[in-house]
Amino acid sequence: LIVLGRRPGLPFARFGDLSSIIIATAGLMFFWSQYSYLSGLSWWYGSVDHLRTGSAGRPAPDYDLATLPWKVAAARVFDVKPGRMTLVTSHDSFAYQASANIGTGGASAADIQFDVDVEAGGVTIGLLQGGQWVAISSSRKAGSFADWNSAQLGYRRSLTVVIANDNPAGESRFIVKSLRLYLRK
Amino acid sequence: MDRLSRVCRVLLCGEFVLAVAVIVYAGVHDVKDVFFGAPAAVAVQIEGSCEAGDPTVPCHVSVAELHAARYRIATDAPARTLTITLGSRAPMERAHHLLVRVSQPTNLELYVQAHDGEAFVEPTHLTNSPGRTMTPLPAAARITALSFVSEAEAFSEPIVLDELGFFEANRGLLTDVRRIFQGIPPLTYHGTLVPRVVARLCIFSAIAAFFVPRRVLKRLLPVLVPAICFSLCVLDLAVLFPPYRSGDLRAFYAGGPLQNAAGSNLNGGLWQAERLLAGQGLTVGAGVVSWERMPGYGLFCAVAALFFGHATLVDLATATVLLQVIFYCAAAGFFVWVAGQLWQSHVVWIVGLLIAMLPKQLGYTQVDSIIAPVTLLILAALCIRLKSVESGRPVGLAVDLFVHLTFALWFLMRPDVLPGWLVVSLVLYWRSPRLMIPIVLAVAIGVSWASYKMQYTKEFVPTTANIGATLMCGLWEVPSRFASTCSDAAYFNWIATHTPFEPTSQAASNFATREVLRFWLTFPGHFVIMLYDKMLRFLGGDVWPGHATDLQQSLFQIVPRAPLVVFLLTTMALAVAAGHQRLRTLLLAWPLFLNAPLFWVMQASDGRFYSAAGVALVVAAVPLLFERPFYVAIAAQPRRTLALVVSAGVLAIAARPLDVWLLHNDAFHYWTPFFDASSSPWGTGR
């Protein structure tokens, strides 16, 4: 485009102008995308670090294991009791097992904290918005799996907490001892 | 449309400036991390003592200062305990944090001893997992000593602390101090994110440069390119020597190269400089002159020491790396300033950016690290000469003198320039009295060095006495059934077994050279495979030696190295075949044809000697892509163009399978048509 733009009289003579417009616009988008990616990532690391180190004075969660409106997707055993969720997954290696869809209430960010005892296989716990993972934590090791995660929320008004199988070999068994969700304005 | 276009062009100029500013800032931000490794520690005098694992063995502690009261501490024998006794208590009042990085053993227990004997701090468990450990020190003024107790069962290794220091605050010790994106951990930020963003910014600036006014860009080139080059060099060093993980540059030298015997690859130049400045001559030890090196790099290190200090060898190593970076940037700046006379400024910008982005070896204190900038000086000098020829003026004596002074600079560093220098000189001055310039310069350097060495070696060797060793090493760099290996020890052993000569002597080198030549004739198949395999490795990416960080990988993910090399070589071949800028292309690409192939028969050492060829490839090929007459010329020669493109395609597709086939074809590999294999001193293979 640039080369053609320097040949007056050619039908492409305006392409030099056009290329400057396209590249200038692309440049703006490029700078913004790099900045927003890095600032988003910095926010995420900062949030998770803050959650891990400063949870003592944290207020009550907006949702917890008992108050989340769970829907069973594929789990063979799904038993929620106060302070404990027992789950035996389907044989599908990475299938969603249970989910809970909630309204964000205008929140701009969500923090999730969980504590799971993996008896066999592996587990993925995360947040979905618009069908896309916005926060995801996985473990394929038997034993305790506790983590914090954070996500900036998009414009959509709903958010889904998902528990999925993470065992290429098939079924997993685990107990969710706690799961708390905090919504931040 | 015109108005909008004008606005966008102004906007593009702004974006170009912003891109350059961000690139430069990113590198400058890392300067302290790279060259100092940590903020200054509290100046505490320390003394070390140790208790050996075997009580009958004496144990001593070495303390090396990395920088400003940050130390590397090691016992010289397998130890049970390392105790560090602190000097005066006054400075300790300011110390609130203890920084430790354990190298070995795997687990240690740290006990803090108070002057009143009270155990007021719980013992701390330390491991040798990568990274620094910070321990808070309450009431540090009470501390008189620190004891590191090995938790190993057998006490089979020395206790080594790669870093130890007392600090007022832990700011800047576990992560860098930055104003933006503070949440991102330093390794992710510096190791991956920044290099990738900077690589994208470089690509964007290369495109935006087309819209920057030519005159303005041409004036700014000699300033912007060195600034960007400096930034990219520092970014690469920050990735390779991360203070927050595996250790900074100073810790690397203190714990690695400076622990090796004097004269080894990464400390030879440093010892030469240190001894030279101490009035002990250009030697690596008492009465020992380097047998395998020219004098230039030792002098370079001495200059670095004079400029940036040499209180310790660690300081000298850091000073040398800094001077290498500055030299690279200055050479790149000089080159683009000169190249601006030959090519349009946006083309020079792209070439300069590529030179700045190439993988480098600047973190290593060996001569190979500065061959790339020396090559840039040679190519710049050749550009001045080409411009002179292009303008129709007779080439001035000063220009030719400058050309050969740059070649001489390489010769002062490494002797492998001689064949290329000779051929280039013959091409430029066939039957001209100016042929005397390179001859006089080469003889002056060679004779001076030989005369200097003679007082130590009693031999007159104008270059180095390791040609036989490198030829021998080169034999074993391709897979084969021959049992020999490539190392100094193997060569020394082989010479001692087969000759009465001193292994570092010219006589030994001559003997080895004769035996290698006989070996080539004995096993011509192995010789052909060696050439072919090393050539393919060269084309496959070794032409750009050095550790490729994410800065370079970002580019190589878009265009992998091997296709990129073949593409650039094909471009040059097309220009030569079509008669477009034939002399310029061949002259600027001389290291590709007259230097790199030397290492297909000699030791290539994973390509670390190829940096000149890598720079030359970029300089000779890239400008062609932006010249309209180049496309006109190759379009006018459709048959040649097609033949070359098809040949390059065939090479790209068939070269590797042929290499594999050759390597597995024993009948050809171990074919002995001229001499009996049993006469070879290296046997007939496993």
Side-chain angles (χ1 to χ4, degrees):
Chain A
L1 290 176
I2 297 158
V3 172
L4 289 170
R6 288 199 208 104
R7 301 292 295 270
L10 284 177
F12 308 107
R14 308 295 294 181
F15 278 18
D17 293 337
L18 189 58
S19 62
S20 66
I21 296 166
I22 292 170
I23 295 169
T25 310
L28 287 177
M29 291 166 64
F30 165 71
F31 279 106
W32 173 248
S33 69
Q34 299 300 305
Y35 176 78
S36 81
Y37 171 65
L38 288 176
S39 61
L41 205 59
S42 179
W43 174 89
W44 180 84
Y45 276 112
S47 292
V48 172
D49 189 49
H50 176 71
L51 292 169
R52 283 180 179 150
T53 55
S55 57
R58 186 159 264 279
D62 295 278
Y63 294 91
D64 63 17
L65 204 54
T67 57
L68 280 165
W70 293 108
K71 284 185 182 169
V72 179
R76 293 201 302 115
V77 175
F78 182 83
D79 181 23
V80 182
K81 290 177 179 164
R84 184 183 177 91
M85 173 197 282
T86 306
L87 208 146
V88 179
T89 71
S90 64
H91 290 283
D92 251 351
S93 301
F94 305 106
Y96 295 177
Q97 303 298 319
S99 63
N101 192 266
I102 54 167
T104 59
S108 62
D111 305 322
I112 185 169
Q113 181 263 322
F114 55 83
D115 188 356
V116 182
D117 265 348
V118 181
E119 293 177 353
V123 60
T124 291
I125 294 180
L127 303 174
L128 286 180
Q129 239 197 340
Q132 303 289 321
W133 290 104
V134 291
I136 188 165
S137 302
S138 299
S139 172
R140 287 189 185 174
K141 285 193 296 188
S144 178
F145 173 42
D147 202 5
W148 279 98
N149 210 335
S150 282
Q152 283 180 310
L153 300 178
Y155 62 90
R156 293 171 193 274
R157 294 181 178 176
S158 68
L159 174 71
T160 307
V161 181
V162 174
I163 301 177
N165 187 14
D166 188 13
N167 180 10
E171 181 188 280
S172 299
R173 280 178 285 117
F174 45 85
I175 296 166
V176 184
K177 295 191 290 190
S178 77
L179 192 151
R180 298 188 183 97
L181 186 71
Y182 302 87
L183 296 174
R184 280 194 268 163
K185 296 287 183 186
Chain B
M1 186 81 165
D2 280 349
R3 198 169 172 184
L4 180 61
S5 172
R6 276 201 297 275
V7 170
C8 285
R9 281 171 191 271
V10 172
L11 179 61
L12 269 167
C13 289
E15 290 173 351
F16 176 84
V17 171
L18 181 61
V20 171
V22 173
I23 295 168
V24 173
Y25 171 77
V28 170
H29 170 82
D30 289 350
V31 166
K32 282 186 182 171
D33 279 356
V34 168
F35 294 108
F36 299 106
V42 175
V44 179
Q45 293 294 323
I46 62 171
E47 277 181 23
S49 59
C50 55
E51 182 189 345
D54 177 354
T56 61
V57 175
C59 187
H60 303 98
V61 174
S62 66
V63 178
E65 187 172 29
L66 300 176
H67 173 67
R70 185 167 56 102
Y71 303 97
R72 178 184 186 274
I73 301 168
T75 65
D76 66 348
R80 180 190 300 266
T81 308
L82 164 66
T83 301
I84 294 164
T85 310
L86 309 181
S88 75
R89 262 185 257 157
M92 282 300 288
E93 286 176 7
R94 292 190 291 119
H96 303 300
H97 299 272
L98 171 68
L99 174 147
V100 182
R101 183 202 301 276
V102 179
S103 174
Q104 58 185 52
T106 309
N107 291 289
L108 280 173
E109 204 73 19
L110 165 62
Y111 294 89
V112 175
Q113 297 168 18
H115 63 87
D116 50 13
E118 185 187 342
F120 68 105
V121 178
E122 287 294 309
T124 307
H125 182 72
L126 302 170
T127 70
N128 71 342
S129 55
R132 292 169 168 167
T133 304
M134 296 301 298
T135 307
L137 293 177
R142 292 173 61 190
I143 300 172
T144 53
L146 304 173
S147 284
F148 296 85
V149 180
S150 171
E151 293 190 340
E153 287 182 6
F155 305 115
S156 58
E157 53 191 350
I159 296 177
V160 180
L161 307 178
D162 275 341
E163 286 182 86
L164 182 139
F166 298 91
F167 291 84
E168 286 188 73
N170 60 5
R171 184 177 153 86
L173 293 170
L174 295 179
T175 181
D176 59 313
V177 180
R178 63 182 107 111
R179 291 167 191 266
I180 51 172
F181 313 130
Q182 291 172 356
I184 305 175
L187 279 183
T188 310
Y189 186 71
H190 293 289
T192 307
L193 297 173
V194 170
R196 286 185 186 176
V197 170
V198 165
R200 289 172 198 147
L201 285 168
C202 287
I203 294 170
F204 176 76
S205 79
I207 298 167
F210 283 88
F211 297 92
V212 177
R214 302 275 160 85
R215 280 187 182 178
V216 176
L217 186 59
K218 190 176 173 180
R219 280 186 193 167
L220 291 176
L221 277 171
V223 179
L224 294 187
V225 169
I228 283 193
C229 188
F230 182 79
S231 171
L232 301 189
C233 290
V234 174
L235 283 175
D236 274 345
L237 291 172
V239 175
L240 295 174
F241 304 101
Y244 315 106
R245 186 75 175 174
S246 54
D248 66 298
L249 192 65
R250 288 169 179 266
F252 166 76
Y253 274 95
L258 296 179
Q259 298 296 316
N260 298 335
S264 60
N265 272 356
L266 294 187
N267 72 25
L270 301 177
W271 277 109
Q272 280 181 318
E274 181 73 8
R275 293 179 61 80
L276 180 67
L277 294 172
Q280 295 166 317
L282 202 56
T283 53
V284 291
V288 181
V289 71
S290 179
W291 65 288
E292 79 279 45
R293 296 187 184 96
M294 293 295 285
Y297 191 68
L299 297 172
F300 181 88
C301 295
V303 172
L306 292 175
F307 277 143
F308 305 115
H310 62 114
T312 65
L313 273 177
V314 174
D315 284 335
L316 177 51
T318 313
T320 303
V321 171
L322 177 59
L323 188 63
Q324 287 179 173
V325 169
I326 291 172
F327 183 37
Y328 194 101
C329 301
F334 180 65
F335 173 78
V336 295
W337 177 62
V338 171
Q341 315 297 318
L342 276 184
W343 299 302
Q344 291 180 330
S345 51
H346 57 265
V347 177
V348 179
W349 175 256
I350 291 171
V351 173
L353 268 185
L354 290 172
I355 289 169
M357 290 186 78
L358 286 177
K360 305 166 203 76
Q361 309 169 71
L362 296 171
Y364 300 116
T365 48
Q366 58 188 359
V367 66
D368 315 305
S369 306
I370 57 167
I371 290 300
V374 170
T375 307
L376 280 170
L377 293 181
I378 294 176
L379 297 182
L382 289 173
C383 283
I384 294 174
R385 196 178 191 285
L386 283 166
K387 180 66 185 172
S388 215
V389 172
E390 195 179 281
S391 63
R393 296 192 307 266
V395 179
L397 181 63
V399 172
D400 277 332
L401 191 59
F402 181 56
V403 167
H404 292 289
L405 281 172
T406 57
F407 274 99
L409 180 62
W410 183 337
F411 182 45
L412 198 64
M413 302 289 167
R414 253 179 25 189
D416 57 306
V417 71
L418 286 176
W421 192 7
L422 175 69
V423 174
V424 170
S425 301
L426 288 174
V427 168
L428 295 179
Y429 314 115
W430 182 242
R431 294 184 179 175
S432 161
R434 291 195 187 178
L435 196 56
M436 288 309 292
I437 301 173
I439 292 171
V440 168
L441 286 172
V443 169
I445 293 170
V447 170
S448 304
W449 183 226
S451 307
Y452 182 78
K453 284 194 294 182
M454 208 172 166
Q455 59 185 311
Y456 299 99
T457 62
K458 313 301 176 201
E459 284 186 316
F460 189 80
V461 184
T463 58
T464 58
N466 68 336
I467 292 171
T470 56
L471 282 169
M472 192 178 128
C473 248
L475 293 174
W476 322 128
E477 288 186 321
V478 287
S480 75
R481 286 200 271 120
F482 299 108
S484 300
T485 55
C486 173
S487 69
D488 279 354
Y491 174 73
F492 289 175
N493 189 38
W494 183 81
I495 289 290
T497 308
H498 291 85
T499 76
F501 305 131
E502 174 65 30
T504 57
S505 67
Q506 184 61 34
S509 177
N510 292 341
F511 174 79
T513 303
R514 281 195 300 275
E515 288 301 324
V516 170
L517 294 176
R518 200 154 70 95
F519 185 84
W520 290 351
L521 290 172
T522 307
F523 295 99
H526 181 74
F527 177 69
V528 170
I529 289 171
M530 178 183 75
L531 288 182
Y532 186 69
D533 186 74
K534 288 192 186 180
M535 182 191 76
L536 283 196
R537 283 190 230 172
F538 173 78
L539 297 177
D542 279 2
V543 64
W544 293 311
H547 183 84
T549 64
D550 268 27
L551 185 68
Q552 291 87 25
Q553 294 294 3
S554 305
L555 288 185
F556 294 143
Q557 279 167 3
I558 300 169
V559 190
R561 285 192 201 207
L564 191 56
V565 174
V566 172
F567 171 73
L568 293 175
L569 283 173
T570 307
T571 302
M572 284 169 41
L574 286 170
V576 172
H580 172 74
Q581 294 288 357
R582 193 174 276 162
L583 177 67
R584 186 192 83 190
T585 304
L586 290 173
L587 207 52
L588 295 181
W590 74 265
L592 276 167
F593 312 114
L594 302 173
N595 182 255
L598 291 180
F599 304 105
W600 303 346
V601 293
M602 300 173 94
Q603 182 191 9
S605 194
D606 294 324
R608 74 180 156 101
F609 307 121
Y610 288 141
S611 55
V615 169
L617 179 62
V618 170
V619 170
V622 171
L624 293 169
L625 299 168
F626 297 92
E627 291 171 356
R628 196 190 298 271
F630 166 66
Y631 297 101
V632 172
I634 60 172
Q637 305 270 2
R639 285 188 184 175
R640 287 186 192 180
T641 302
L642 186 65
L644 273 169
V645 171
V646 169
S647 303
V650 170
L651 176 74
I653 294 166
R656 187 52 69 186
L658 177 62
D659 188 42
V660 173
W661 181 80
L662 282 173
L663 284 169
H664 290 91
N665 189 323
D666 283 2
F668 177 69
H669 199 154
Y670 305 105
W671 177 45
T672 53
F674 308 118
F675 294 109
D676 184 5
S678 61
S679 67
S680 161
W682 292 292
T684 54
R686 286 186 286 256

